[in-house]
Amino acid sequence: MSVVRFSPAWLTEDNSYRVAAWAEACCFPETADDLVAALRQSVGVRVVLLGHGCNVILSRNHYDSSLHFIATSRLEPALAVAGERLRAGAGARLRDVCRLAARCGLSGLERLWDIPGSVGGAAHMNAGAYGASFYDVVESVDVYAPGTGQRAVLSREQCRPAYRMTAFQGTDTVILGVGLKLTPADPAAVLAEMGRIGKLRRSRLPYDFPSAGSVFRRPDGGPPVGQIMEEAGLKGFRIGGAQISPRHAGIIVNAGGATGADILAVIEVMRRAAWQRYGVELVLEQVVV
Protein backbone atom coordinates (compact mmCIF):
# COMPACT_ATOMS: atom_id res chain seq x y z
CA MET A 1 0.00 0.00 0.00
CA SER A 2 1.26 3.48 -0.86
CA VAL A 3 2.23 5.76 2.01
CA VAL A 4 1.98 9.52 1.54
CA ARG A 5 2.93 12.45 3.72
CA PHE A 6 0.91 15.44 4.85
CA SER A 7 2.99 18.54 5.49
CA PRO A 8 2.54 22.33 5.79
CA ALA A 9 2.28 24.29 2.55
CA TRP A 10 1.06 27.50 0.99
CA LEU A 11 -2.05 26.97 -1.13
CA THR A 12 -1.84 30.32 -2.92
CA GLU A 13 -0.93 28.72 -6.24
CA ASP A 14 -3.43 25.91 -5.73
CA ASN A 15 -6.58 28.05 -5.86
CA SER A 16 -7.54 29.99 -8.96
CA TYR A 17 -8.45 33.13 -6.98
CA ARG A 18 -4.79 33.15 -5.84
CA VAL A 19 -5.91 33.86 -2.27
CA ALA A 20 -2.97 33.52 0.13
CA ALA A 21 -3.63 30.65 2.53
CA TRP A 22 -1.36 28.46 4.66
CA ALA A 23 -2.42 24.93 5.63
CA GLU A 24 -0.69 22.68 8.17
CA ALA A 25 -1.63 19.38 6.48
CA CYS A 26 -1.35 19.17 2.69
CA CYS A 27 -0.75 16.29 0.31
CA PHE A 28 0.00 16.31 -3.42
CA PRO A 29 -0.46 12.72 -4.68
CA GLU A 30 1.02 11.74 -8.04
CA THR A 31 -0.91 8.54 -8.76
CA ALA A 32 -4.43 7.25 -8.17
CA ASP A 33 -2.99 4.79 -5.65
CA ASP A 34 -1.35 7.67 -3.79
CA LEU A 35 -4.68 9.52 -3.78
CA VAL A 36 -6.45 6.51 -2.28
CA ALA A 37 -3.65 6.13 0.29
CA ALA A 38 -4.01 9.79 1.31
CA LEU A 39 -7.74 9.29 1.79
CA ARG A 40 -7.19 6.15 3.85
CA GLN A 41 -4.74 8.03 6.06
CA SER A 42 -7.36 10.73 6.58
CA VAL A 43 -10.17 8.60 8.00
CA GLY A 44 -11.81 10.54 10.82
CA VAL A 45 -10.39 13.86 9.57
CA ARG A 46 -12.18 16.40 7.42
CA VAL A 47 -10.74 16.23 3.91
CA VAL A 48 -10.73 19.00 1.32
CA LEU A 49 -10.13 17.82 -2.24
CA LEU A 50 -8.76 20.87 -3.99
CA GLY A 51 -8.47 19.40 -7.45
CA HIS A 52 -6.88 22.24 -9.41
CA GLY A 53 -8.56 24.76 -7.10
CA CYS A 54 -10.72 26.28 -9.85
CA ASN A 55 -14.07 26.36 -8.09
CA VAL A 56 -12.96 26.98 -4.52
CA ILE A 57 -13.02 29.94 -2.13
CA LEU A 58 -10.45 29.63 0.66
CA SER A 59 -12.17 31.66 3.37
CA ARG A 60 -9.28 31.63 5.88
CA ASN A 61 -5.62 32.57 5.68
CA HIS A 62 -4.63 29.68 7.98
CA TYR A 63 -5.92 26.12 8.37
CA ASP A 64 -4.74 23.88 11.19
CA SER A 65 -4.08 20.14 10.89
CA SER A 66 -7.69 19.24 11.69
CA LEU A 67 -8.25 19.77 7.96
CA HIS A 68 -6.43 17.61 5.39
CA PHE A 69 -5.98 19.27 1.99
CA ILE A 70 -5.45 16.92 -0.95
CA ALA A 71 -4.59 18.64 -4.24
CA THR A 72 -4.79 16.56 -7.41
CA SER A 73 -2.96 19.01 -9.67
CA ARG A 74 0.12 16.74 -9.75
CA LEU A 75 -1.74 13.51 -10.44
CA GLU A 76 -0.66 11.64 -13.55
CA PRO A 77 -3.14 12.50 -16.33
CA ALA A 78 -3.50 8.83 -17.38
CA LEU A 79 -4.79 9.75 -20.85
CA ALA A 80 -5.58 7.00 -23.34
CA VAL A 81 -7.58 6.74 -26.55
CA ALA A 82 -9.04 3.59 -28.10
CA GLY A 83 -11.29 4.14 -31.09
CA GLU A 84 -14.14 6.47 -30.07
CA ARG A 85 -13.38 6.17 -26.36
CA LEU A 86 -11.07 8.37 -24.31
CA ARG A 87 -10.01 7.70 -20.72
CA ALA A 88 -8.59 10.33 -18.39
CA GLY A 89 -7.45 10.40 -14.78
CA ALA A 90 -9.04 12.82 -12.33
CA GLY A 91 -5.94 15.00 -12.30
CA ALA A 92 -5.82 15.55 -16.07
CA ARG A 93 -6.47 19.12 -17.18
CA LEU A 94 -9.74 19.45 -19.07
CA ARG A 95 -7.92 21.57 -21.65
CA ASP A 96 -5.46 18.72 -22.32
CA VAL A 97 -8.32 16.25 -22.75
CA CYS A 98 -9.95 18.58 -25.28
CA ARG A 99 -6.66 18.91 -27.19
CA LEU A 100 -6.14 15.15 -27.28
CA ALA A 101 -9.66 14.55 -28.55
CA ALA A 102 -9.14 17.11 -31.32
CA ARG A 103 -5.83 15.57 -32.40
CA CYS A 104 -7.49 12.15 -32.56
CA GLY A 105 -10.43 13.42 -34.59
CA LEU A 106 -12.98 12.99 -31.83
CA SER A 107 -15.85 15.44 -31.36
CA GLY A 108 -17.97 16.22 -28.31
CA LEU A 109 -15.76 18.39 -26.13
CA GLU A 110 -15.45 21.49 -28.29
CA ARG A 111 -17.78 23.72 -26.28
CA LEU A 112 -15.90 22.83 -23.09
CA TRP A 113 -12.65 24.12 -24.53
CA ASP A 114 -10.72 26.56 -22.32
CA ILE A 115 -12.73 25.76 -19.19
CA PRO A 116 -10.03 25.68 -16.50
CA GLY A 117 -9.64 22.89 -14.01
CA SER A 118 -9.38 19.12 -13.87
CA VAL A 119 -11.35 16.19 -15.20
CA GLY A 120 -12.22 15.24 -11.63
CA GLY A 121 -13.66 18.68 -10.99
CA ALA A 122 -15.60 18.62 -14.27
CA ALA A 123 -17.07 15.22 -13.37
CA HIS A 124 -17.92 16.33 -9.84
CA MET A 125 -19.87 19.46 -10.82
CA ASN A 126 -20.88 18.61 -14.40
CA ALA A 127 -18.97 21.53 -15.86
CA GLY A 128 -20.39 23.10 -18.97
CA ALA A 129 -20.64 26.09 -21.28
CA TYR A 130 -22.58 27.27 -24.32
CA GLY A 131 -25.29 24.65 -23.96
CA ALA A 132 -22.95 21.69 -23.52
CA SER A 133 -22.16 19.74 -20.35
CA PHE A 134 -19.38 17.33 -19.47
CA TYR A 135 -21.81 14.44 -18.94
CA ASP A 136 -23.01 14.74 -22.54
CA VAL A 137 -20.01 12.53 -23.36
CA VAL A 138 -19.36 10.68 -20.09
CA GLU A 139 -19.80 6.92 -20.31
CA SER A 140 -18.40 5.86 -16.92
CA VAL A 141 -16.74 7.27 -13.81
CA ASP A 142 -14.17 5.48 -11.62
CA VAL A 143 -14.66 6.31 -7.95
CA TYR A 144 -13.38 5.54 -4.47
CA ALA A 145 -15.66 5.52 -1.42
CA PRO A 146 -13.69 6.34 1.76
CA GLY A 147 -16.55 5.07 3.91
CA THR A 148 -16.31 1.52 2.57
CA GLY A 149 -12.74 1.60 1.27
CA GLN A 150 -13.99 0.28 -2.09
CA ARG A 151 -13.36 1.33 -5.67
CA ALA A 152 -16.15 1.11 -8.23
CA VAL A 153 -17.01 2.00 -11.82
CA LEU A 154 -20.29 3.90 -12.16
CA SER A 155 -22.35 4.37 -15.29
CA ARG A 156 -23.39 7.82 -16.45
CA GLU A 157 -26.90 7.16 -15.18
CA GLN A 158 -25.63 6.26 -11.70
CA CYS A 159 -23.92 9.67 -11.52
CA ARG A 160 -27.33 11.38 -11.97
CA PRO A 161 -26.07 14.44 -13.87
CA ALA A 162 -28.13 17.61 -14.04
CA TYR A 163 -27.33 21.29 -14.54
CA ARG A 164 -24.09 21.80 -12.56
CA MET A 165 -25.11 18.85 -10.39
CA THR A 166 -24.15 15.19 -9.90
CA ALA A 167 -24.76 12.49 -7.31
CA PHE A 168 -21.27 13.15 -5.91
CA GLN A 169 -22.04 16.55 -4.44
CA GLY A 170 -22.64 16.39 -0.72
CA THR A 171 -20.96 12.97 -0.44
CA ASP A 172 -17.40 11.84 0.33
CA THR A 173 -17.11 9.83 -2.90
CA VAL A 174 -13.87 10.66 -4.72
CA ILE A 175 -13.52 10.58 -8.50
CA LEU A 176 -10.42 8.76 -9.78
CA GLY A 177 -11.01 8.92 -13.53
CA VAL A 178 -13.59 8.99 -16.33
CA GLY A 179 -14.40 7.18 -19.55
CA LEU A 180 -15.74 9.30 -22.41
CA LYS A 181 -17.61 8.23 -25.55
CA LEU A 182 -16.94 10.68 -28.38
CA THR A 183 -17.86 10.95 -32.07
CA PRO A 184 -15.39 10.59 -34.99
CA ALA A 185 -14.93 13.85 -36.89
CA ASP A 186 -12.48 15.74 -39.06
CA PRO A 187 -9.67 16.96 -36.74
CA ALA A 188 -9.51 20.29 -38.59
CA ALA A 189 -13.22 20.88 -38.00
CA VAL A 190 -12.91 20.04 -34.30
CA LEU A 191 -9.94 22.39 -33.93
CA ALA A 192 -11.76 25.15 -35.80
CA GLU A 193 -14.75 24.90 -33.46
CA MET A 194 -12.47 24.92 -30.43
CA GLY A 195 -10.81 28.05 -31.81
CA ARG A 196 -14.20 29.72 -32.22
CA ILE A 197 -15.21 28.86 -28.66
CA GLY A 198 -11.86 30.06 -27.33
CA LYS A 199 -12.24 33.45 -29.02
CA LEU A 200 -15.81 33.74 -27.75
CA ARG A 201 -14.77 33.01 -24.16
CA ARG A 202 -11.88 35.46 -24.25
CA SER A 203 -14.06 38.19 -25.70
CA ARG A 204 -16.52 37.89 -22.81
CA LEU A 205 -14.67 36.64 -19.73
CA PRO A 206 -12.06 38.34 -17.53
CA TYR A 207 -8.68 36.72 -18.09
CA ASP A 208 -6.74 39.72 -16.77
CA PHE A 209 -7.19 38.87 -13.06
CA PRO A 210 -7.42 35.63 -11.07
CA SER A 211 -10.97 34.30 -10.64
CA ALA A 212 -12.93 31.09 -10.23
CA GLY A 213 -15.40 31.71 -13.03
CA SER A 214 -19.14 32.01 -12.51
CA VAL A 215 -19.91 32.62 -8.84
CA PHE A 216 -23.53 31.46 -8.88
CA ARG A 217 -25.66 28.95 -10.71
CA ARG A 218 -28.03 30.29 -13.34
CA PRO A 219 -31.02 31.66 -11.36
CA ASP A 220 -34.56 30.40 -11.83
CA GLY A 221 -37.09 33.17 -12.34
CA GLY A 222 -34.62 35.89 -13.18
CA PRO A 223 -32.13 37.07 -15.81
CA PRO A 224 -28.45 36.03 -15.82
CA VAL A 225 -26.48 37.05 -12.74
CA GLY A 226 -24.25 39.39 -14.72
CA GLN A 227 -27.27 41.28 -16.04
CA ILE A 228 -28.72 41.64 -12.53
CA MET A 229 -25.46 43.09 -11.24
CA GLU A 230 -25.22 45.53 -14.14
CA GLU A 231 -28.79 46.70 -13.53
CA ALA A 232 -27.92 47.18 -9.84
CA GLY A 233 -24.90 49.32 -10.78
CA LEU A 234 -22.49 46.81 -9.25
CA LYS A 235 -20.22 46.21 -12.21
CA GLY A 236 -16.74 47.00 -10.89
CA PHE A 237 -17.92 47.06 -7.26
CA ARG A 238 -15.07 46.24 -4.89
CA ILE A 239 -14.45 45.25 -1.28
CA GLY A 240 -10.77 45.00 -0.40
CA GLY A 241 -9.09 43.14 -3.24
CA ALA A 242 -12.26 41.37 -4.42
CA GLN A 243 -14.07 43.00 -7.33
CA ILE A 244 -17.11 42.26 -9.47
CA SER A 245 -15.42 42.11 -12.83
CA PRO A 246 -15.87 45.23 -14.97
CA ARG A 247 -15.87 42.87 -17.94
CA HIS A 248 -18.37 40.23 -16.75
CA ALA A 249 -20.50 41.14 -13.73
CA GLY A 250 -21.28 37.51 -12.89
CA ILE A 251 -17.65 36.88 -11.96
CA ILE A 252 -15.58 38.05 -8.99
CA VAL A 253 -11.88 38.68 -9.60
CA ASN A 254 -8.90 39.14 -7.32
CA ALA A 255 -7.93 42.67 -8.32
CA GLY A 256 -5.01 42.63 -5.88
CA GLY A 257 -4.50 41.09 -2.46
CA ALA A 258 -8.02 39.73 -2.08
CA THR A 259 -8.77 37.56 0.92
CA GLY A 260 -11.44 34.91 1.22
CA ALA A 261 -13.33 37.28 3.53
CA ASP A 262 -13.29 39.96 0.80
CA ILE A 263 -14.76 37.53 -1.73
CA LEU A 264 -17.48 36.36 0.66
CA ALA A 265 -18.40 39.98 1.45
CA VAL A 266 -18.87 40.75 -2.26
CA ILE A 267 -20.93 37.58 -2.63
CA GLU A 268 -23.35 38.81 0.04
CA VAL A 269 -23.75 42.14 -1.78
CA MET A 270 -24.56 40.26 -5.00
CA ARG A 271 -27.09 38.06 -3.22
CA ARG A 272 -28.86 41.05 -1.72
CA ALA A 273 -29.03 42.79 -5.09
CA ALA A 274 -30.61 39.75 -6.76
CA TRP A 275 -33.18 39.38 -3.99
CA GLN A 276 -34.08 43.07 -3.91
CA ARG A 277 -34.46 43.42 -7.68
CA TYR A 278 -35.96 40.09 -8.71
CA GLY A 279 -36.83 38.19 -5.54
CA VAL A 280 -34.44 35.40 -6.55
CA GLU A 281 -32.10 33.63 -4.16
CA LEU A 282 -28.75 33.05 -5.82
CA VAL A 283 -27.20 29.61 -5.29
CA LEU A 284 -23.43 29.56 -4.93
CA GLU A 285 -21.68 27.49 -7.57
CA GLN A 286 -18.30 27.71 -5.84
CA VAL A 287 -17.27 25.75 -2.74
CA VAL A 288 -16.35 27.67 0.42
CA VAL A 289 -13.64 26.10 2.59
Side-chain angles (χ1 to χ4, degrees), residues 211-233:
S211 80
S214 296
V215 180
F216 301 100
R217 293 177 185 166
R218 184 176 59 212
D220 293 326
V225 175
Q227 180 181 329
I228 296 174
M229 299 308 130
E230 287 195 45
E231 290 176 1

Side-chain angles (χ1 to χ4, degrees), residues 68-97:
H68 278 193
F69 283 86
I70 302 176
T72 63
S73 55
R74 301 178 194 174
L75 274 180
E76 59 186 2
L79 297 173
V81 175
E84 300 172 8
R85 288 176 168 82
L86 187 156
R87 294 199 60 79
R93 294 198 320 162
L94 187 55
R95 287 185 181 121
D96 292 340
V97 174

Side-chain angles (χ1 to χ4, degrees), residues 87-261:
R87 294 199 60 79
R93 294 198 320 162
L94 187 55
R95 287 185 181 121
D96 292 340
V97 174
C98 291
R99 285 194 188 99
L100 176 61
R103 288 200 302 270
C104 294
L106 295 174
S107 174
L109 292 170
E110 293 90 326
R111 293 187 184 182
L112 306 186
W113 168 245
D114 215 23
I115 293 178
S118 66
V119 163
H124 180 82
M125 69 169 292
N126 194 15
Y130 302 114
S133 296
F134 189 58
Y135 276 83
D136 293 345
V137 295
V138 169
E139 188 171 53
S140 63
V141 179
D142 302 339
V143 301
Y144 173 74
T148 63
Q150 299 297 313
R151 295 194 192 196
V153 179
L154 305 181
S155 67
R156 178 192 183 280
E157 291 71 25
Q158 288 175 299
C159 301
R160 301 199 303 274
Y163 175 72
R164 303 296 180 269
M165 290 287 293
T166 67
F168 305 119
Q169 294 172 29
T171 76
D172 63 355
T173 302
V174 176
I175 295 165
L176 302 178
V178 301
L180 308 179
K181 176 72 162 54
L182 302 169
T183 304
D186 175 24
V190 176
L191 285 168
E193 178 63 6
M194 283 170 52
R196 185 186 74 83
I197 291 295
K199 287 179 182 177
L200 189 59
R201 286 181 65 84
R202 293 192 174 264
S203 70
R204 296 180 176 180
L205 303 180
Y207 282 77
D208 47 346
F209 292 109
S211 80
S214 296
V215 180
F216 301 100
R217 293 177 185 166
R218 184 176 59 212
D220 293 326
V225 175
Q227 180 181 329
I228 296 174
M229 299 308 130
E230 287 195 45
E231 290 176 1
L234 290 173
K235 202 171 190 180
F237 175 81
R238 179 169 177 167
I239 295 177
Q243 182 182 39
I244 297 176
S245 170
R247 192 167 191 181
H248 188 304
I251 294 174
I252 296 173
V253 299
N254 182 349
T259 66

